[in-house]
Amino acid sequence: MSATDRPVVFRNGLVLTMDDAHTVLPGADVLVIGDRIAEVGVGLTAPDDALEIDATDGILMPGMVDTHRHLWQTAMRGYGADWTLTQYFVWYYLESGKLFRPEDVYAGNLLGAIEAIDAGVTTTVDWSHGLQTPEHADAAVDALEAVDGRFVLAYGNIQQGPWQWATSPEFRDFHRRRIDGGKLAGFQMAFDVTGDPAFPERAAFEVARELGAPVTTHAGVWGATNDDGIRLMHENGFMTPSTVYVHAATLTHDSYNRIAATGGSVSVSTESEQSAGQGYPPTWQLRHHDIPVSLSMDTSVWWSGDLFSAMRSTLGADRSREHLEAHAKQETITHCHLRAEQVVEWATRGGARALGMDSTIGALTPGRQADVVLIKNDASPAMFPILNPHGHVVFQAQRADVHTVLVGGRVVKRDGRLVGVDLAAARARVAATIDHLRETMGEQAWQRGMNPDIPETAILENPYQYTEWDAGSAQWKH
């Protein structure tokens, strides 16, 4: 990724550095030269040819990091709004997910990658488990390389066991062609561990170890993966500091202890866990075990694709659980343990640490890559006053307030508009995917998939049955 030809200086912003001390600098500047942050401070001197961006009444923060998003599913945005996790599995794993062609993976990845940078998510892990063939994998990478963001490909294939696709000559050839020396920011292997005592996933772990590729895995998902998978990984020596456990919502203390002891991290997708049924969002447990946390959005087939929603829902879920646990013991929470500042940390440096990139992204400090987000919207009444900057980012700001985004010094969004993006072409590709799916499935199946049955609701018996209101006595008559 190359930087702009001109230096860039943001002037007079409220800077959330997200350095080790979480330093906040009011009325400060951020100077970018090449692909790096050169200086952060008040009244900086910038080169004469620098592009100046007025950050007055705005918040400058590091680019956000999403550690788990199924970008290929973005073409189906909102389709599964009323799904459960079971319906998601049936649609994608067993039925219609098999209909996605390489060009459909490209379409979803392209739109999802554009959406990420538009929302200030400068680094995204493409948890790409729809790679049925090498052609699908090439299409996924082609789309990511077409967008000026920072992307990590997490290679997966839900139509085969990982011991099959990971050991195939085609996978090795793909890795040699597209990953070794490629343009992506990183590479992971994405597969789940079912808990089968035979541990067939061992073969995939061994390939990952040979390639030096971190593993990202859906762990602690109700009805799908459990403590047995964690135990097998640990007993066979495959839990490492670079392992990312997605969701981790239904695990026991023993499993959390194994994750903590081996230095792994958890990618929490709160909107997903709350709605689909993986389990209660686990940050309230992870805090007690001191397990590093990053945030993710999972998939736009259900939910929003921005980390403002992730931060807001995560803070709400954690506090809700803390209150409920206290109420069950007849106690009252008088001070919240999880603060907005910590959730902003998870959305930035937490993701950088999980991906082994903490020395290069995740904070606005000199020498780091210039992944910079300006949150500013002079037309929004919700963007003034800014009194608690971390709290403002979490509870007040939204994707429409993302004014300017830099990735590696390159301006990819300015004045609220994407730069150098052919959104019309991306929309056309997605439209072609939708047409293909509707025609192949048939309209009846298409509509049925989007509108699952509504379970009958049993109304509780109400002993307070009244039939007539007596206005004279101002009483109900039985």
Side-chain angles (χ1 to χ4, degrees):
M1 178 182 301
S2 59
T4 56
D5 294 332
R6 299 171 59 188
V8 179
V9 60
F10 294 90
R11 294 290 192 191
N12 196 38
L14 181 57
V15 181
L16 308 186
T17 65
M18 301 315 297
D19 62 8
D20 292 343
H22 288 188
T23 304
V24 177
L25 300 173
D29 306 337
V30 175
L31 175 62
V32 173
I33 297 179
D35 63 351
R36 303 279 172 172
I37 297 171
E39 290 185 80
V40 180
V42 177
L44 298 181
T45 300
D48 292 339
D49 63 338
L51 170 64
E52 293 211 6
I53 298 175
D54 182 12
T56 303
D57 295 328
I59 298 173
L60 284 160
M61 63 179 291
M64 290 172 273
V65 182
D66 185 330
T67 53
H68 158 242
R69 192 183 303 193
H70 305 297
L71 289 178
W72 67 288
Q73 298 174 354
T74 308
M76 300 293 294
R77 184 189 308 284
Y79 180 88
D82 296 318
W83 281 353
T84 63
L85 191 62
T86 298
Q87 288 154 343
Y88 169 84
F89 284 150
V90 169
W91 203 94
Y92 273 114
Y93 285 57
L94 301 177
E95 295 178 354
S96 304
K98 299 175 182 179
L99 302 177
F100 278 69
R101 305 162 300 178
E103 55 262 46
D104 303 319
V105 169
Y106 184 97
N109 268 29
L110 184 66
L111 185 62
I114 293 170
E115 177 185 18
I117 62 171
D118 184 61
V121 179
T122 54
T123 301
T124 303
V125 173
D126 175 23
W127 223 99
S128 199
H129 59 353
L131 307 183
Q132 304 175 58
T133 69
E135 290 75 25
H136 287 77
D138 281 323
V141 175
D142 287 344
L144 299 181
E145 291 182 347
V147 178
D148 281 327
R150 204 178 295 280
F151 300 103
V152 174
L153 179 72
Y155 190 111
N157 178 3
I158 55 177
Q159 303 304 332
Q160 287 185 353
W163 54 91
Q164 296 172 295
W165 61 258
T167 59
S168 70
E170 293 80 9
F171 173 69
R172 295 299 189 104
D173 178 66
F174 167 81
H175 187 275
R176 177 188 57 78
R177 289 186 297 105
R178 303 306 301 267
I179 304 303
D180 287 344
K183 300 178 182 178
L184 295 177
F187 178 76
Q188 298 175 331
M189 289 175 61
F191 58 88
D192 299 339
V193 182
T194 63
D196 181 343
F199 193 43
E201 298 86 3
R202 172 191 294 277
F205 278 110
E206 289 174 343
V207 172
R209 177 174 291 170
E210 179 184 343
L211 295 176
V215 170
T216 176
T217 182
H218 293 117
V221 174
W222 181 264
T225 57
N226 54 36
D227 297 291
D228 288 335
I230 298 295
R231 177 182 54 78
L232 287 166
M233 289 175 63
H234 188 259
E235 290 177 352
N236 288 275
F238 292 116
M239 295 179 73
T240 75
S242 64
T243 306
V244 178
Y245 306 86
V246 178
H247 302 307
T250 56
L251 298 175
T252 62
H253 290 296
D254 182 71
S255 289
Y256 290 130
N257 284 337
R258 292 177 194 258
I259 294 172
T262 54
S265 64
V266 170
S267 176
V268 175
S269 301
T270 303
E271 281 194 322
S272 177
E273 290 130 19
Q274 286 180 318
S275 180
Q278 292 93 336
Y280 197 91
T283 54
W284 65 290
Q285 290 273 42
L286 304 176
R287 290 189 288 106
H288 290 301
H289 290 272
D290 197 26
I291 294 173
V293 174
S294 63
L295 300 184
S296 60
M297 287 313 306
D298 204 341
T299 171
S300 292
V301 78
W302 260 298
W303 306 289
S304 56
D306 66 87
L307 288 191
F308 296 106
S309 299
M311 289 186 283
R312 188 171 301 149
S313 60
T314 298
L315 196 57
D318 190 288
R319 290 177 175 178
S320 178
R321 187 61 182 250
E322 190 170 33
H323 287 300
L324 287 172
E325 294 290 320
H327 296 173
K329 296 182 287 188
Q330 300 300 304
E331 297 173 355
T332 299
I333 295 294
T334 59
H335 294 76
C336 294
H337 281 85
L338 185 60
R339 303 300 179 96
E341 181 177 340
Q342 182 62 57
V343 177
V344 176
E345 159 95 8
W346 289 345
T348 52
R349 288 196 74 179
R353 291 190 185 102
L355 301 179
M357 299 180 184
D358 188 41
S359 63
T360 56
I361 64 172
L364 299 183
T365 58
R368 273 186 165 85
Q369 285 283 320
D371 293 2
V372 185
V373 172
L374 171 59
I375 301 171
K376 174 179 175 173
N377 188 344
D378 294 337
S380 170
M383 284 304 294
F384 181 86
I386 300 174
L387 307 177
N388 178 336
H390 296 100
H392 207 100
V393 168
V394 174
F395 283 125
Q396 308 300 323
Q398 54 186 311
R399 71 168 75 191
D401 302 318
V402 175
H403 179 282
T404 299
V405 179
L406 269 63
V407 182
R410 180 182 290 275
V411 178
V412 297
K413 184 177 184 180
R414 187 178 178 194
D415 295 330
R417 299 186 67 84
L418 291 163
V419 176
V421 170
D422 190 345
L423 194 55
R427 291 176 62 146
R429 287 181 177 275
V430 168
T433 288
I434 299 304
D435 289 344
H436 160 68
L437 292 172
R438 294 183 81 148
E439 292 171 4
T440 305
M441 293 172 61
E443 191 62 25
Q444 185 176 7
W446 172 265
Q447 293 296 335
R448 185 172 62 249
M450 191 175 7
N451 298 284
D453 294 337
I454 302 174
E456 183 178 350
T457 299
I459 305 300
L460 298 176
E461 181 180 355
N462 187 340
Y464 304 104
Q465 301 295 328
Y466 302 100
T467 58
E468 184 180 354
W469 174 258
D470 188 333
S473 62
Q475 292 181 337
W476 287 100
K477 292 181 179 181
H478 292 278

